[in-house]
Amino acid sequence: MDMNLLNQILGIAFEKRVSDLHFEVDNPPFFRAHGQLIRSKLPSLTPQDTEFIARVVLEQSNRTLPDDLRELDAAYLSGTGASDELLSNSHYLPARYLQTVVGKDDGVEVFGAHPLIAFLLKKKLPSRFAMVQHLMFCPPGSGLSLMQRQGIEEYTRAVMSARPRFFVIAEQGIYFGTCLSRPSLKQGLAELFPELSTFLERNYMPLKKISQTEIFELKPGIEQGRPGNGAKP
């Protein structure tokens, strides 16, 4: 296993629009699509393969792989908080704050790599993209695909049309395999979503920063737009 192969797997996941990837020793990678686990035709993974994947994921958050780790679920959320400290700080705590200021008719957009905030707020997002990191993946030495560029354009139009009251940039630190000059979603917004970035600068103001997550609110006098056909929480 190396970064080229891992990027290929991520590329397949993007092209197939899967929601989850499962890696397990002595089995090939599994993709979850429409609630069903699909066994890929890739070679079975070795202990070294799964260890490599876990190390790469954890290194994006400046963390190391514990010697006694047997299982890693990066998406697990308990009943009272996130099992991942970074996920808790960047998503769970901001969501708890937003619950105190978001009204029934207020729109919210979360520019991030996890749908937790929208889920906790029970808010429908402006676009069909519950997460945006897949729009920024690209194999080494290549740029964005046509489908990704179309997705970025669609996402930009949906958010600008909806003009939600709150716009959240939820940093989480898992950006391996992206086309960014440095590992930052805010950097990705500026580099790959320039029209949306300019729109936000003109129409939004900083409201609050919690850990790495920044919350922006529409400037006074600017009304929310029309809701789009977005992603459900």
Side-chain angles (χ1 to χ4, degrees):
M1 175 69 67
D2 56 25
M3 280 306 304
N4 285 334
L5 179 55
L6 182 55
N7 278 323
Q8 289 178 23
I9 295 173
L10 293 173
I12 293 172
F14 170 75
E15 293 294 337
K16 301 298 183 181
R17 299 189 178 187
V18 305
S19 61
D20 296 271
L21 278 169
H22 294 254
F23 300 108
E24 183 180 344
V25 174
D26 294 331
N27 280 298
F30 281 78
F31 301 97
R32 183 181 296 278
H34 307 294
Q36 300 294 320
L37 275 179
I38 303 170
R39 184 186 181 95
S40 72
K41 297 180 180 180
L42 297 167
S44 293
L45 299 171
T46 67
Q48 292 75 23
D49 291 333
T50 55
E51 180 178 341
F52 173 83
I53 295 169
R55 288 189 186 281
V56 168
V57 171
L58 290 173
E59 283 172 1
Q60 308 310 306
S61 307
N62 296 316
R63 297 157 63 193
T64 57
L65 187 67
D67 292 335
D68 59 349
L69 182 68
R70 292 293 177 268
E71 183 175 347
L72 174 65
D73 185 347
Y76 174 77
L77 178 70
S78 71
T80 56
S83 62
D84 186 306
E85 181 179 0
L86 183 63
L87 183 61
S88 176
N89 291 338
S90 63
H91 290 74
Y92 186 77
L93 297 181
R96 287 306 183 213
Y97 166 75
L98 283 166
Q99 286 175 334
T100 68
V101 297
V102 174
K104 179 182 178 181
D105 297 323
D106 289 336
V108 178
E109 171 54 28
V110 182
F111 189 82
H114 200 285
L116 177 58
I117 292 177
F119 174 80
L120 291 175
L121 294 175
K122 296 181 173 61
K123 285 289 184 179
K124 185 177 181 179
L125 299 174
S127 80
R128 66 186 176 91
F129 300 103
M131 300 173 286
V132 297
Q133 82 279 13
H134 62 286
L135 296 175
M136 296 181 275
F137 286 139
C138 58
S142 67
L144 296 172
S145 69
L146 175 60
M147 182 180 293
Q148 286 173 301
R149 295 185 184 280
Q150 292 173 339
I152 289 173
E153 175 69 16
E154 178 186 339
Y155 176 83
T156 297
R157 294 301 173 203
V159 175
M160 291 174 60
S161 176
R163 204 162 52 249
R165 179 183 171 189
F166 298 98
F167 189 91
V168 183
I169 302 178
E171 296 281 5
Q172 191 177 340
I174 303 178
Y175 311 117
F176 58 89
T178 63
C179 299
L180 307 182
S181 60
R182 59 187 176 88
S184 163
L185 274 182
K186 197 169 186 179
Q187 184 73 17
L189 182 62
E191 291 182 2
L192 304 180
F193 300 76
E195 186 177 2
L196 179 59
S197 180
T198 299
F199 173 81
L200 294 172
E201 290 176 3
R202 291 176 177 173
N203 296 280
Y204 288 77
M205 61 184 182
L207 175 64
K208 193 174 185 66
K209 185 173 183 178
I210 301 175
S211 185
Q212 300 180 62
T213 295
E214 296 183 70
I215 302 172
F216 298 84
E217 185 178 11
L218 274 175
K219 292 179 179 179
I222 301 178
E223 296 182 356
Q224 297 186 70
R226 62 176 178 81
N229 184 23
K232 296 181 179 179

